[in-house]
Amino acid sequence: MYQEALGQTVNKMFDYSCDQWGDREAVVDGDERLTYTQLRRRIATLATGLSSIGVRKGDRVAFLLGVTPDWVTLFYATLRIGAVAVPLNLGWTGREVIEGLSLTEATVLVSTDDFRTNNYVAMLSEQIPALAAQDKNAVGLDELPHLRTIVALSKSNANYSFAHDFREVETAGADYVPADFEKMSAEVRPDDFSIILLTSGTTSFPKPVLHSHQTLLVGAAGYADGIEAVSDDKMLIVAPNYHVAGYLTMLMPHMRGAAVHLLEYYLPHAALEVIERERITLMFGFDVHFLMMSNHPKFRIYDISSLSRTMIGSTPGSFDEIEAMGITHQGNIYGSSEYAASQSYFPYRDRNDVGRMRLSHGRPMLGTDLVVKDPTTGKTLAPDEPGELCFKGPALFKGYYNMPEETAAAFDDEGYFHSGDYGWIDAEGYIYYRGRYKETIKSGGENVSAQDVELFLELDTPWVRKAMVVGLPDPKWGEAVTAIVEVRAGMSVGADEIRDFCRNKLAGYKIPKQVVFITEDDWVTTPTGKYDRASMTQLAVLKLEAAVR
């Protein structure tokens, strides 16, 4: 319902659910099961503990944590204080983490030292050697002048002199006063900022998308209606928590008193086990997530029949294989971080319209004004005419943090956000997204800036004179990051050597999966003198096909 979002804060929404469904499960992670009441106590404890070390309203609290109950608690505690959540990409290298902290002017960092093979605390120390000599009560770094507090979550109970211990912070808040906790929440307003989402675009580094409590809730409420969520539902979160979907798939079930089930990180066999064991009813995933489950060698021994409703970021090419899994509702999404990923959705009630479910991305959410414009003239186009998808409405972001020029450039005089996405709307209002005008690659659910990788190859590697990075269709990743490379005169290098050089300097999902070598004479330009990306993409396809003959 729209009323679950309008005039609300995340804090009020969660308190309502606690009052209505306090004894129902809110979070499940393996053997750890928390009711709404138990989770609220944890939130109060952590919020009070964070306040005791100086975290206050307006702070930007960055974090590097897996999808765990600690993440859920930290997110809600951050917003309870009136601070702004800043999830950082867990695939970043140390250099990229520093860039993210700098771009968002993070004042607080909460980080694990053990996520898969990554120790982010060590990464930070390696990037900034002076950190080791810092006092945890007065961090002051030239490289990150806004950062004043670090909190470390260590599975091995390691102690870092420059960081507060997460468990000790929790302990400091154990004697919280309920009246103070309630007062904390009352001081947060619907238009206060709630989260900064770092989203890749055509710039060399992700842009920081700023949302309020209300814009974030509007997105979640739209999905709650479209997927027809109820308190008996169980949502499996497989989205990473640095992606907008991680927050939609947490907030949406919690609006309706349902339970969220967590995987610290996605593995197809783990997802299958949880779906069967817990009788999961709701799931978000990119087509990659579903196809990884379908292709798992033991897929057929699992019972996933309870999975009745989905949210999917997919293409028509994946429809049949996902349908063959027994999934009767493919709730395809058209969304971006700038609109809380909720521009349009194929709702559960439309599931019998299989033709549209296969090809479209549903209908616009309530209150969303979505049109198609000619990207050159700005003219609004008629139904079924392809062009740039543009939108405005109540889930629209508040701007790119500290980027007024980039924010202004993204909107036209009518207030529509220009997405750079290609598609059309049919006569009955269904949306068809078919790619991006902007030079961004969607690989395994991640948006990869082509320019980011191009500049790295040209400026950081010793061999590359010119690079163009494109996305080529790939059955596993959706699009495979592919580098078209011209090597400097007199030099020689192989694809594996380039990929090895990229490791630990670029996030793994940005590293080219394919490298196509060309000569200076192979470049194709447009009449205006720009490199012709479409022609170069076709050339890459032809060269790769020839190589496997």
Side-chain angles (χ1 to χ4, degrees), residues 110-139:
V110 181
S111 176
T112 180
D113 66 358
D114 185 5
F115 176 79
R116 307 188 84 169
T117 61
N118 294 320
N119 180 340
Y120 301 106
V121 180
M123 280 185 189
L124 196 65
S125 300
E126 290 167 5
Q127 290 292 314
I128 307 177
L131 182 61
Q134 295 292 309
D135 180 346
K136 67 181 180 182
N137 295 308
V139 172

Side-chain angles (χ1 to χ4, degrees), residues 458-476:
E458 293 171 358
L459 300 178
D460 289 57
T461 72
W463 314 284
V464 177
R465 176 182 175 272
K466 171 67 183 171
M468 179 178 285
V469 174
V470 299
L472 297 184
D474 184 272
K476 179 177 181 180

Side-chain angles (χ1 to χ4, degrees), residues 1-4 218-230 252 255-256 309 345 347-349 365-366:
M1 295 181 294
Y2 223 33
Q3 299 306 319
E4 291 170 312
V218 167
Y223 282 113
D225 282 349
I227 208 167
E228 300 183 19
V230 296
M252 181 269 286
M255 278 183 168
R256 298 288 173 91
R309 286 152 288 155
Y345 175 59
Y348 181 64
R349 66 177 51 239
M365 298 287 197
L366 182 63

Side-chain angles (χ1 to χ4, degrees), residues 6 47 56 80 87 153 156 168 178 250 287 388 437 493 515 533:
L6 292 183
R56 55 184 181 266
R80 185 69 61 159
L153 176 57
S156 62
E168 291 179 0
M250 175 170 60
D287 46 5
E388 184 180 16
Y437 282 107
V493 66
V515 181
R533 191 168 291 269

Side-chain angles (χ1 to χ4, degrees), residues 79-158:
L79 271 60
R80 185 69 61 159
I81 293 169
V84 182
V86 185
L88 300 180
N89 193 314
L90 293 164
W92 281 348
T93 63
R95 174 181 68 86
E96 292 165 320
V97 169
I98 297 297
E99 287 186 65
L101 292 169
S102 178
L103 185 66
T104 58
E105 296 182 340
T107 54
V108 180
L109 172 64
V110 181
S111 176
T112 180
D113 66 358
D114 185 5
F115 176 79
R116 307 188 84 169
T117 61
N118 294 320
N119 180 340
Y120 301 106
V121 180
M123 280 185 189
L124 196 65
S125 300
E126 290 167 5
Q127 290 292 314
I128 307 177
L131 182 61
Q134 295 292 309
D135 180 346
K136 67 181 180 182
N137 295 308
V139 172
L141 300 169
D142 292 339
E143 296 87 345
L144 295 169
H146 294 89
L147 186 66
R148 66 169 194 275
T149 303
I150 299 172
V151 180
L153 176 57
S154 178
K155 293 181 181 178
S156 62
N157 298 316

Side-chain angles (χ1 to χ4, degrees), residues 379-397:
K379 175 188 173 183
T380 299
L381 302 175
D384 296 316
E385 286 191 72
E388 184 180 16
L389 297 170
C390 304
F391 45 84
K392 59 183 176 181
L396 194 61
F397 75 132

Side-chain angles (χ1 to χ4, degrees), residues 9-11 14 39-40 42-51 53-65 69-87 106-111 151 166 169 181 184-185 187-189 192-196 211 213 216 247 250:
T9 65
V10 171
N11 302 335
F14 187 74
L39 179 56
R40 180 159 59 175
R42 281 202 183 184
I43 294 165
T45 297
L46 183 57
T48 303
L50 289 170
S51 297
I53 61 170
V55 181
R56 55 184 181 266
K57 184 176 183 180
D59 271 335
R60 291 166 298 283
V61 180
F63 49 83
L64 289 155
L65 299 175
D70 287 323
W71 159 63
V72 176
T73 306
L74 176 64
F75 172 74
Y76 279 124
T78 297
L79 271 60
R80 185 69 61 159
I81 293 169
V84 182
V86 185
T107 54
V108 180
L109 172 64
V110 181
S111 176
V151 180
F166 187 92
V169 172
F181 181 62
M184 194 184 291
S185 177
E187 292 175 353
V188 180
R189 312 300 302 165
D192 286 344
F193 299 137
S194 63
I195 194 167
I196 295 175
H211 275 283
H213 281 248
L216 191 59
Y247 299 90
M250 175 170 60

